Amino acid sequence: MTAAYRALPPNKIPDATPQPNVLQRAGGAIGTVVLTVVLDHQLRHRLTPAGQGDGFGTTFLWVLAITIAAAIPTIVLAHTERRVLRRAHASKLEEAADTGH
C-alpha cells in the first residue's frame, strides 16, 4: 500500500483510497468462502473426531499455502522498492557531488 501511495501525487491519494479498500474486502470474503468450502468438504467425509481433526489440519495447510503464496509477491515488491530507493539515493548523492554541495 505504501508503495502504491508513494507513486501518486498527494492530490490523487483521496481518489485512489477506495480501490485498495474494495480489493481487501473482496479478497477477504473470497478467501473466507474458499476456506469454508475446503473445511466443509473435509468434514463431510470424516465422521470420527480424529477424522474431523485431520480435516481441520488439512484446512490449516490450505491457509498456510495461501499465506505463502501471498507473501512471495510482497517480499519481491519490498526488495524491488528498496533497490529503487537505493538507486535514487545514490543518484542524489552523485548529483550533489557533481554540483559541489
Side-chain angles (χ1 to χ4, degrees):
M1 299 292 258
T2 302
Y5 288 138
R6 188 178 297 159
L8 292 172
N11 63 333
K12 296 289 184 183
I13 290 176
D15 296 331
T17 303
Q19 287 83 0
N21 189 12
V22 169
L23 289 173
Q24 285 178 336
R25 290 175 188 266
I30 291 168
T32 301
V33 168
V34 167
L35 293 172
T36 300
V37 168
V38 170
L39 180 60
D40 180 60
H41 178 73
Q42 294 296 318
L43 294 180
R44 280 183 194 223
H45 300 291
R46 298 166 188 208
L47 303 176
T48 66
Q52 290 180 347
D54 188 45
F56 274 95
T58 301
T59 304
F60 285 123
L61 287 176
W62 275 75
V63 171
L64 180 62
I66 291 169
T67 302
I68 291 169
I72 291 170
T74 304
I75 292 167
V76 170
L77 177 64
H79 178 68
T80 303
E81 186 176 331
R82 260 190 243 127
R83 190 173 19 167
V84 168
L85 289 175
R86 281 188 206 133
R87 285 183 185 164
H89 183 67
S91 171
K92 286 181 184 178
L93 289 176
E94 288 176 12
E95 186 178 301
D98 289 344
T99 60
H101 291 109

